[in-house]
Amino acid sequence: MKARRLAVRGAIEFTPRVHPDERGRFLSPFQEKAFTEAHGAPLFAVAQTNHSVSRRGVVRGIHYTATPPGTAKYVYCARGAAVDFVVDIRVGSPTFGRWDSVVMDQRDHRATYVPVGVGHAFVALQDDTVMSYMLSGSYVPEHELALSFLDPALALPLPSDMEPILSERDRAAVTLAVARDKGLLPEYDHCVRVEGGRRPPNAQAGADA
């Protein structure tokens, strides 16, 4: 499995080796050894898994969890294709305001690690696109927040031939600047402490954790 650090501090893209044969293909979208080598610590204890099915053009996000409690994610595309986005919304982060993207499809089977406090979104490129998540925390509605995917200051790209389909919640979401002014964004130092507290006692922090 190959690992690549993204432009957002602590976010990592993983690309597994695919084994095709006459029956189809086999791969492992998560591998603890590769994850630990790239991140500097094992994956969090999984508290919940999520599974979404989206038609082409659906935009989900930008979503994040208030920190504390904070939630980290490990995301991959189980079917279809999507562009997955990580957005650094952690006030005080060296990469605050930056974003990066990963193309997830059935050819390369990439996955993304989303650190605590980092915003996450994706755009489905095909009908019946299935996104699967492992989460470090359970879903609590009052902790879940959203920012506008269409924030012109972020300028997240959409395919030119696609009309975005957003939920009412996501259409009403505020921009990054408004959220910062209202004190709705997580603090980078809080996020690092929360993420570090979920590591086993003997785990060492990664170079950009």
Side-chain angles (χ1 to χ4, degrees):
M1 174 174 271
K2 295 180 180 179
R4 179 176 71 92
R5 295 189 183 278
L6 299 176
V8 169
R9 174 71 67 95
I12 309 171
E13 170 198 280
F14 293 93
T15 305
R17 179 177 295 180
V18 179
H19 303 276
D21 62 22
E22 66 278 4
R23 300 167 298 172
R25 59 181 61 194
F26 176 85
L27 64 131
S28 179
F30 172 76
Q31 298 170 34
E32 185 75 54
K33 183 176 185 293
F35 181 88
T36 300
E37 289 175 352
H39 178 56
L43 186 70
F44 48 77
V46 177
Q48 181 170 318
T49 60
N50 290 350
H51 177 102
S52 68
V53 183
S54 303
R55 70 191 219 197
R56 185 179 188 275
V58 165
V59 177
R60 297 183 188 261
I62 306 166
H63 298 157
Y64 67 103
T65 305
T67 307
T71 299
K73 303 177 182 178
Y74 190 90
V75 185
Y76 68 96
C77 180
R79 184 174 67 196
V83 181
D84 197 66
F85 293 91
V86 289
V87 184
D88 198 342
I89 61 172
R90 301 166 297 181
V91 177
S93 168
T95 56
F96 177 79
R98 296 187 197 173
W99 60 268
D100 208 340
S101 63
V102 174
V103 176
M104 296 185 176
D105 56 29
Q106 299 306 283
R107 184 186 68 178
D108 297 310
H109 300 274
R110 297 185 181 96
T112 305
Y113 174 68
V114 184
V116 170
V118 169
H120 175 252
F122 72 83
V123 179
L125 302 179
Q126 297 178 9
D127 287 337
D128 296 322
T129 288
V130 175
M131 299 292 279
S132 293
Y133 312 67
M134 293 188 289
L135 307 175
S136 67
S138 300
Y139 176 75
V140 179
E142 55 266 33
H143 294 161
E144 298 303 314
L145 303 170
L147 299 174
S148 175
F149 184 91
L150 303 177
D151 183 346
L154 293 174
L156 300 179
L158 279 168
S160 58
D161 62 343
M162 180 180 290
E163 187 68 27
I165 303 167
L166 290 88
S167 68
E168 182 177 345
R169 171 201 179 197
D170 288 343
R171 286 196 302 269
V174 300
T175 64
L176 180 66
V178 169
R180 184 172 189 175
D181 289 344
K182 291 185 174 182
L184 298 175
L185 300 180
E187 296 285 340
Y188 177 70
D189 289 344
H190 291 170
C191 296
V192 170
R193 285 198 294 271
V194 168
E195 189 154 7
R198 289 179 177 152
R199 296 191 180 104
N202 296 326
Q204 298 297 315
D208 67 352

